[in-house]
C-alpha cells in the first residue's frame, strides 16, 4: 500500500502547532466526528480503530467524551505517533489506547472493531481502494466509518475557487504566503485530492454503504458510511 512518506520528515514536529491554521474548521471537524460516532456506535465498551492517528487530536476527543471506548491508533510515522502518545499520557489515559507504529495492512486483522476513523489522511494515500478495503476488513458488519479528506477535481473551477478560499483563510490565520505556496506545490505530488465520484466508488467497492456527508469546510469534506454485510457474514 503506497502511503505518502511526508510525515516521516522532521517537519511533522510542527504539525500540532500549525494544523488548525491550515485546515478550516479543524476543531469543529473533530468535535462533529465524535458526535457522529456517538450517534452511530451502539453499545458500551466499544473498540474504535483510528487510521492515521499521528498528532492524536481525534483520539483525545474520543477518550475525553466516551469513558467506555478503547481506541487503537495506527500510524507509520514515529514523530507523529510519539506526539499522540505524549498527549494521551498527559491525560493519564494511555491504558485505553493500543498503538501500532506501522501501515494498516501490517496490523493483524483478527480484531474486529465497532467503528473506524480516518481524518485528513486519504489525500496522502495513492492506492486508495486497498487502503479502504483494509479498513473494511477490520470492521464488523454495520459498523460506521468516519473519514475526512481534501476532496475535489484539481482541474475544476470549483476546486480552484476553494483553493483561493484556503489561501485567504491561511492569510487570516497569520501564516506566511510561503505556507500556502508550499501546500499548493504539493498538490498532485505528495497530496492527492480525491474526486467525490472516485471516493464514493471506492467506498462502495470496498464494501461500504449508506454514504453521506457530515462536514464540509471548503475542500475539506467529511463522509460517514457503514460497513455492509457480506455473504461470508451470513453463514
Amino acid at each position: 500500500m503506497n502511503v505518502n512518506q511526508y510525515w516521516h520528515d522532521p517537519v511533522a514536529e510542527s504539525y500540532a502547532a500549525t494544523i488548525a491554521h491550515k485546515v478550516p474548521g479543524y476543531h469543529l471537524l473533530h468535535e462533529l466526528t465524535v458526535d457522529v460516532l456517538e450517534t452511530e456506535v451502539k453499545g458500551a465498551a466499544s473498540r474504535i480503530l483510528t487510521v492515521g492517528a499521528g498528532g492524536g487530536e481525534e483520539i483525545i476527543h474520543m477518550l475525553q467524551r466516551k469513558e467506555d471506548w478503547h481506541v487503537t491508533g495506527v500510524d507509520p510515522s514515529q514523530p507523529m505517533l510519539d506526539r499522540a502518545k505524549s498527549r494521551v499520557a498527559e491525560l493519564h489515559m494511555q491504558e485505553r489506547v493500543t498503538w501500532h507504529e506501522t501501515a494498516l495492512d501490517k496490523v493483524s486483522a483478527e480484531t474486529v472493531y465497532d467503528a473506524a476513523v480516518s481524518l485528513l489522511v486519504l489525500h496522502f494515500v495513492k492506492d486508495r481502494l486497498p487502503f479502504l478495503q483494509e479498513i473494511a476488513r477490520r470492521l464488523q458488519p454495520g459498523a460506521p466509518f468516519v473519514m475526512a479528506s481534501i476532496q475535489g477535481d484539481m482541474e475544476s473551477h470549483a476546486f480552484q475557487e476553494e483553493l483561493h478560499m484556503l489561501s485567504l483563510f491561511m492569510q487570516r490565520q497569520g501564516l506566511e504566503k510561503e505556507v500556502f505556496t508550499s501546500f499548493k506545490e504539493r498538490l498532485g505530488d505528495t497530496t492527492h485530492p480525491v474526486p467525490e465520484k472516485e471516493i464514493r466508488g471506492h467506498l462502495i467497492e470496498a464494501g461500504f454503504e449508506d454514504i453521506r456527508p457530515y462536514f464540509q469546510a471548503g475542500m475539506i469534506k467529511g463522509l460517514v458510511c457503514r460497513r455492509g454485510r457480506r455473504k461470508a457474514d451470513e453463514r
Side-chain angles (χ1 to χ4, degrees), residues 86-138:
S86 176
R87 295 184 67 191
V88 170
E90 288 174 3
L91 297 175
H92 306 288
M93 294 181 174
Q94 56 267 42
E95 73 281 356
R96 294 172 53 201
V97 184
T98 299
W99 305 100
H100 294 282
E101 185 189 315
T102 187
L104 180 61
D105 57 351
K106 301 297 191 297
V107 177
S108 171
E110 291 183 4
T111 301
V112 179
Y113 295 90
D114 302 299
V117 178
S118 186
L119 301 183
L120 307 176
V121 173
L122 195 64
H123 49 258
F124 294 124
V125 179
K126 286 187 176 180
D127 301 325
R128 292 161 182 153
L129 178 57
F131 178 79
L132 295 171
Q133 288 173 327
E134 291 293 337
I135 293 174
R137 285 181 62 203
R138 292 162 175 80

Side-chain angles (χ1 to χ4, degrees), residues 35-55:
D35 289 342
V36 170
L37 288 172
E38 280 202 63
T39 302
E40 299 288 332
V41 175
K42 311 301 180 185
S46 297
R47 294 175 296 186
I48 314 296
L49 173 65
T50 304
V51 186

Side-chain angles (χ1 to χ4, degrees), residues 26 79-80 118 144 170 183 185 191 225:
Y26 179 76
M80 293 296 291
S118 186
M170 287 188 183
F183 166 78
E185 290 175 347
T191 305
C225 53

